[in-house]
Amino acid sequence: MKKLINRVEAVVDEATEGLGLAHPDLVRVHAEPRYVARADAPVQGKVALISGGGSGHEPLHGGYVGRGMLDAACPGEVFTSPVPEQMVEAAKAVHGGAGVLFIVKNYTGDVMNFELAAELLQAEGIDVRSVLVADDVAVENSLYTAGRRGVGGTVFVEKIAGAAAEAGASLDEVERIARKVSDNVRSMGMALTSCTVPAKGSPTFELGEDEMEIGIGIHGEPGRERMKLRPADEITEMLAGPVIEDLGLKGGEQVIAMVNGMGGTPLMELYIVYRKLAAILREKGITVARNLVGNYITSLEMQGCSITLLRADDELLRLWDAPVHTPALRWGA
Amino acid sequence: MKKLINRVEAVVDEATEGLGLAHPDLVRVHAEPRYVARADAPVQGKVALISGGGSGHEPLHGGYVGRGMLDAACPGEVFTSPVPEQMVEAAKAVHGGAGVLFIVKNYTGDVMNFELAAELLQAEGIDVRSVLVADDVAVENSLYTAGRRGVGGTVFVEKIAGAAAEAGASLDEVERIARKVSDNVRSMGMALTSCTVPAKGSPTFELGEDEMEIGIGIHGEPGRERMKLRPADEITEMLAGPVIEDLGLKGGEQVIAMVNGMGGTPLMELYIVYRKLAAILREKGITVARNLVGNYITSLEMQGCSITLLRADDELLRLWDAPVHTPALRWGA
């Protein structure tokens, strides 16, 4: 195993500490329990957005803490759910009296631990709601998940609900917006290579020298199909097709599109994928209103990519365009 | 070779096309000869900044075209210098009557082809100056280079000279600023794995399962030393030490620091490196005034990192903080 790490037990603590050292104007890191909070939290009267999950998907979630996005992120160990205490203490530290919204990717451990945290907080009189993200069209049920997995759509939920909260929307309203995004976003991914979890020290799965896996999960969980490597344009069609179909996108509609790298993919290759995605959508009369191309939700050093599409309307575009200033996403500020 | 590409001959063209499709508000792509121009170029009365070099280092340089940074980038084939015609046509397309500054990384082919382009443009009455970036402290002379190689410092030269040009500085003044940055910036890198040039199809070099290379170049050129893998903290010391020493940094000074991924490195690992770099600098009484952590100048899918430090003063910090809006670097806009 080749990694820029010190000790496998310290990987998440040290990376989180590094995030805090690099961005003291945006975030502060709490060590025990571990969470990343917005530097100026609590913001009085503002709905607090909290997410979290296993580490190894950076910049998700810690890189999205800041103005106009998350108030706190709770990083578990690599590919391991955070414990309820993390969410409870993070929520107490950042809530500003207007309630808390949990944004939860649909993995069994995450769902259970966020639920437990919500119950504990409600018992203390803090109003907590949860929105589940389950945007991966590749498979129903899989390792770690009942139902669909939560993947790239999470970035969209965090950005757009974050903008609503920043603008002073009520908990009801922020929850409505988050659900609207979650309902209208779909993703699918693929891998050329495996990732290696530090604590395990060997690749999560094996792929032949000429093989790829379509529909892979962000922890390397099995996807739809293992097959021979194909050209990027064919791969793009295999990912975009099911996403467009599942969303029921039609000509005349507009989307926010993301071509996301899994962590080890050169940016050049992501732009080759974007080129084809743009052509596919153009041919169907679907307008790409906004886009992201880069590493936004990763799987350690895995090579591969995912495509996420969000059906957009004026409300969602206005919130998307609102200023955001976090370690990993920044505009208008 | 596992890559998200179609045909090896089309890699750079298709990636550049994808960049243009993703960011039509910022850049437009010219196909023959190939260059990426700022969407609103030429900006009348503004000094035009042009850079370029072999592809495979994305987001450098095309990702830095836009407001407050480059007016044009000329991408060669992967790890291959652009030809003079690219710079000549790009310069004619984007110059706004106030002269042109070439920002050239110190590789023999780049230096030669930018020089030839400058001569051709001067013959047509366009005032062209060139600033060389040669910030890699790892080795003197190497494959492709006489003198030091130009690496991460290029990002700093492009950003800061770009801000000066955007503010309306004269060609003399933009050249002075670019040289000041180039004179005060140093870098060093390392690799855990090789990259694979598409046209070659096999890894550029071989490293054993427990080996790393310290002082590697951004094309996989040999560095200072091949050695057994060490913990991230030791690696950070091996990179930061020579950079700090060569710059002659002393307590009380301030720097802009970059921890850069080579393309295949998880962000989590870059933050582990940043954590140690921050500790090293703090111990010496050197203040990190600003920082970047991420993939800014890469070597395809190589795993590894580099550290760049720029000695900063009020003038450079003011220009660093000025708004920038490009595909890969954005703030204040």
Side-chain angles (χ1 to χ4, degrees), chain A residues 2, chain B residues 191-194 205-213 216 226-227 303:
Chain A
K2 282 184 160 184
Chain B
L192 295 171
T193 63
S194 178
F205 59 95
E206 294 293 341
L207 270 177
E209 256 314 297
D210 59 347
E211 279 184 328
M212 63 176 182
E213 174 121 5
I216 195 101
R226 189 165 290 200
M227 60 176 76
Q303 284 182 264

Side-chain angles (χ1 to χ4, degrees), chain B residues 177-210:
Chain B
I177 294 283
R179 280 194 208 289
K180 178 174 170 179
V181 176
S182 181
D183 288 346
N184 284 284
V185 71
R186 300 289 186 279
S187 300
M188 191 155 141
M190 60 79 61
L192 295 171
T193 63
S194 178
C195 51
T196 295
V197 176
K200 179 159 179 270
S202 60
T204 302
F205 59 95
E206 294 293 341
L207 270 177
E209 256 314 297
D210 59 347

Side-chain angles (χ1 to χ4, degrees), chain B residues 217-233:
Chain B
I218 54 172
H219 312 93
E221 318 91 287
R224 282 192 177 187
E225 196 179 349
R226 189 165 290 200
M227 60 176 76
K228 295 284 177 209
L229 185 60
R230 306 280 175 84
D233 283 0

